[in-house]
Amino acid sequence: MCGTLLQVDRTEVIRSSINPVFSKVFTVDFYFEEMQRLRFELHDISSSHNGLKEADFLGAMECTLGQIVSQRKLAKPLLKQGNAAGKSSITVMDRKEKSLSSSFVSPQDFFSKSDPFLEIFRINDDSSSSLVHRTETVMNNLNPIWKTFKVSLNTLCSGDNDRELKCIVWDWDSNGKHDFIGEFQTTFKEMRGAMDGRQWECINPKYQVKKKNYRNSGIVILNQCKIIKMHSFLDYIMGGCQIQFTVAIDFTASNGDPRNSCSLHYIHPYQPNEYLKALVAVGEICQDYDSDKMFPAFGFGAQIPPDFKVSHDFAVNFDEENPECAGIQGVVDAYQNCLPKIQLYGPTNIAPIIQKVASSASEEMHTKEAMEYFILLILTDGVITDMADTREAIVHASHLPMSVIIVGIGNADFSDMQMLDGDDGILRSPKGEPVLRDIVQFVPFRNFKHVSLSSFSCTFIIRVVMVCLTTVPPADFDRLTKI
């Protein structure tokens, strides 16, 4: 941990429970050759909480990721200031992610007046059960409809369509002592037959024994079940497709007058500026996957000739019909040639360039060949000003063969970039729609200013792979290790 703790994720908050079972799954990259230390902290948050600062710390457990992977199920006592926190313990289980994910449309029920929620458990090989998903509670509703949710096929049933799933319906209670309504068993194989609706009787065994005319405690209906194949970066590369590498450069006034040596766009006769360093480092990696070595290059945030109107997606070579440049050197030449001809302006809007590349990716995806994967490199010096439109554009692009790499140039506050990166949780559009996959990676160039270009390139390509390979099939990993 090098003395520094970095928060990976948080679970949901479970109210009024002394034995909580969390449904949130954490995704952590595993490196066999590294000692990856983890710390799990448990906090008691009041109903009027303002974050962890006002929460009560209950205890923590430390271990390594290797311990979890090797043991599959790790249980250790909670410690507080080095001592046992009573008889409390925490249990962590690992799940290896596969490339398939399942999308479900909400079940319905017909219980008596109650506040129902549904829990789905996977029955493991050792007969234990693991919570897969917990729905929201629908308050005081005779015919509730739970929201659509998504879960990976591996999480749901470990990739086994015939694995037993146990579904329990509860009547929510504010004191945490929820009333048991009923349960039923099913399999994913049965769920897949829900194209026209699938229903199960929800049974309470006690009522079944005591009441002669008892039939069920309600009906749970699954309206629809879909399987969404998540195509990965390697799916495209191993299939023989090419990388379509596009560059977008920030020409807003916050970069400073290019004629001034303090400007981020200043062209020094002997030392390349940060824009050029980042462009060359990243471009040299991506050009190996591009057969024609022709790269579209765009600028944004500048007033451009001849009428000097502000544009957020103009061709750096000023040829709107053919914005491609010959090789990385061609992009460098076009960038240096355009600087004296434009007027740096603003604001910093990046949604237009994301939408432009997404449009090309969408056209390619609907061709018979579908042989291109699009990577958009955005070099920018500041906080973007069209965050809502950018979030919307990224959510749309997450359905396409496309990734976005944002390199922060200079020393500005790039905290908003973490939202686009997904480091603070799943990115959603202003309407609440989540990204289908994490396609954005933000890299502050200042973290690599004092290392060689090759080091920055290696870090970049590793992070690109982390972005694109959110759901790599095991077979692809096998092939990758043989290269």
Side-chain angles (χ1 to χ4, degrees):
M1 290 186 290
C2 300
T4 302
L5 290 174
L6 176 65
Q7 180 176 294
V8 175
D9 211 336
R10 294 184 186 180
T11 68
E12 72 278 18
V13 176
I14 297 180
R15 300 292 181 189
S16 305
S17 176
I18 60 173
N19 188 28
V21 178
F22 300 103
S23 62
K24 178 69 175 290
V25 176
F26 299 158
T27 300
V28 180
D29 293 317
F30 172 63
Y31 301 97
F32 175 79
E33 70 279 8
E34 293 184 13
M35 176 74 74
Q36 295 173 267
R37 298 187 181 277
L38 301 177
R39 177 182 172 89
F40 296 86
E41 294 187 353
L42 189 65
H43 297 262
D44 184 13
I45 298 180
S46 65
S47 58
S48 59
H49 74 90
N50 292 313
L52 290 181
K53 292 182 179 179
E54 298 184 7
D56 295 327
F57 174 67
L58 300 181
M61 181 271 278
E62 295 186 3
C63 63
T64 66
L65 185 56
Q67 288 176 309
I68 298 175
V69 172
S70 61
Q71 297 183 36
R72 301 300 299 273
K73 184 176 181 180
L74 178 66
K76 296 184 69 174
L78 283 175
L79 301 179
K80 191 173 183 180
Q81 295 180 343
N83 300 316
K87 296 181 180 180
S88 302
S89 64
I90 184 170
T91 301
V92 183
M93 298 180 66
D94 87 314
R95 300 172 182 172
K96 295 182 176 66
E97 290 300 314
K98 294 186 177 180
S99 62
L100 291 177
S101 65
S102 306
S103 175
F104 300 91
V105 176
S106 312
Q108 302 179 26
D109 67 358
F110 300 95
F111 307 110
S112 59
K113 200 170 185 179
S114 59
D115 306 321
F117 66 93
L118 171 70
E119 292 182 329
I120 301 176
F121 292 85
R122 180 188 70 243
I123 305 302
N124 301 313
D125 293 335
D126 60 359
S127 298
S128 64
S129 60
S130 298
L131 180 63
V132 172
H133 181 75
R134 179 187 293 118
T135 70
E136 76 284 4
T137 301
V138 179
M139 305 299 289
N140 195 22
N141 197 311
L142 295 175
N143 186 23
I145 299 178
W146 291 304
K147 294 179 181 178
T148 300
F149 64 91
K150 297 180 181 179
V151 62
S152 74
L153 187 57
N154 188 75
T155 298
L156 180 67
C157 59
S158 301
D160 179 2
N161 290 356
D162 294 315
R163 182 177 294 274
E164 183 180 350
L165 303 173
K166 185 176 183 178
C167 304
I168 303 177
V169 181
W170 302 89
D171 182 8
W172 180 85
D173 199 320
S174 59
N175 64 10
K177 298 179 180 180
H178 311 304
D179 297 322
F180 175 75
I181 293 178
E183 63 185 18
F184 61 92
Q185 283 74 41
T186 184
T187 64
F188 179 65
K189 189 175 183 179
E190 287 185 350
M191 289 182 172
R192 290 186 63 180
M195 295 299 182
D196 299 318
R198 181 75 169 83
Q199 64 183 41
W200 295 267
E201 290 186 328
C202 197
I203 303 298
N204 187 321
K206 290 184 179 180
Y207 292 165
Q208 199 172 33
V209 172
K210 293 180 179 180
K211 299 181 179 181
K212 291 183 179 180
N213 298 323
Y214 177 79
R215 295 182 60 185
N216 58 58
S217 297
I219 303 294
V220 174
I221 301 174
L222 177 61
N223 287 330
Q224 192 177 45
C225 175
K226 293 181 179 179
I227 300 178
I228 301 174
K229 168 63 176 171
M230 300 284 285
H231 293 287
S232 71
F233 179 73
L234 279 183
D235 287 334
Y236 287 93
I237 295 300
M238 295 299 185
C241 79
Q242 295 292 313
I243 292 293
Q244 178 61 269
F245 179 57
T246 302
V247 178
I249 302 173
D250 183 342
F251 289 109
T252 55
S254 56
N255 285 279
D257 188 340
R259 295 169 295 183
N260 190 314
S261 60
C262 296
S263 170
L264 294 172
H265 282 304
Y266 179 69
I267 304 299
H268 193 281
Y270 306 111
Q271 180 66 35
N273 61 36
E274 290 188 16
Y275 277 95
L276 288 173
K277 287 181 179 179
L279 172 62
V280 172
V282 175
E284 287 184 343
I285 293 293
C286 292
Q287 69 181 357
D288 289 340
Y289 301 95
D290 193 312
S291 59
D292 65 4
K293 304 295 187 293
M294 299 296 291
F295 307 127
F298 298 94
F300 59 91
Q303 295 176 323
I304 62 173
D307 53 8
F308 285 91
K309 290 183 178 179
V310 177
S311 174
H312 298 291
D313 59 354
F314 66 92
V316 175
N317 63 3
F318 299 111
D319 186 349
E320 298 299 331
E321 297 298 323
N322 182 21
E324 293 188 332
C325 303
I328 295 303
Q329 187 58 47
V331 178
V332 171
D333 293 341
Y335 161 72
Q336 292 178 324
N337 290 335
C338 87
L339 275 173
K341 302 175 183 177
I342 62 175
Q343 179 64 50
L344 274 60
Y345 205 71
T348 308
N349 294 346
I350 65 173
I353 190 63
I354 295 175
Q355 292 164 350
K356 181 186 283 285
V357 176
S359 177
S360 299
S362 179
E363 291 176 4
E364 173 64 21
M365 190 174 70
H366 290 94
T367 64
K368 292 183 179 180
E369 293 80 11
M371 292 299 291
E372 290 187 344
Y373 189 95
F374 291 74
I375 291 181
L376 170 61
L377 170 65
I378 299 177
L379 306 176
T380 180
D381 83 310
V383 179
I384 63 174
T385 52
D386 62 340
M387 178 61 78
D389 289 341
T390 297
R391 287 162 53 197
E392 186 75 40
I394 291 172
V395 169
H396 170 70
S398 70
H399 294 257
L400 303 171
M402 175 177 170
S403 290
V404 181
I405 312 301
I406 304 175
V407 177
I409 305 296
N411 297 312
D413 179 7
F414 294 112
S415 56
D416 282 352
M417 295 299 183
Q418 306 307 322
M419 177 189 295
L420 303 181
D421 197 324
D423 288 349
D424 295 332
I426 297 175
L427 177 69
R428 297 178 182 273
S429 72
K431 297 178 181 178
E433 180 186 357
V435 290
L436 183 62
R437 59 192 181 92
D438 181 11
I439 66 167
V440 176
Q441 177 66 55
F442 171 68
V443 183
F445 187 78
R446 60 176 173 243
N447 291 359
F448 305 94
K449 288 177 66 173
H450 304 296
V451 300
S452 64
L453 287 182
S454 60
S455 298
F456 176 73
S457 301
C458 290
T459 302
F460 166 79
I461 198 65
I462 289 172
R463 295 192 181 197
V464 171
V465 171
M466 288 174 63
V467 169
C468 301
L469 306 188
T470 53
T471 52
V472 179
D476 281 346
F477 279 122
D478 293 339
R479 284 183 287 176
L480 183 62
T481 57
K482 296 175 183 177
I483 296 177

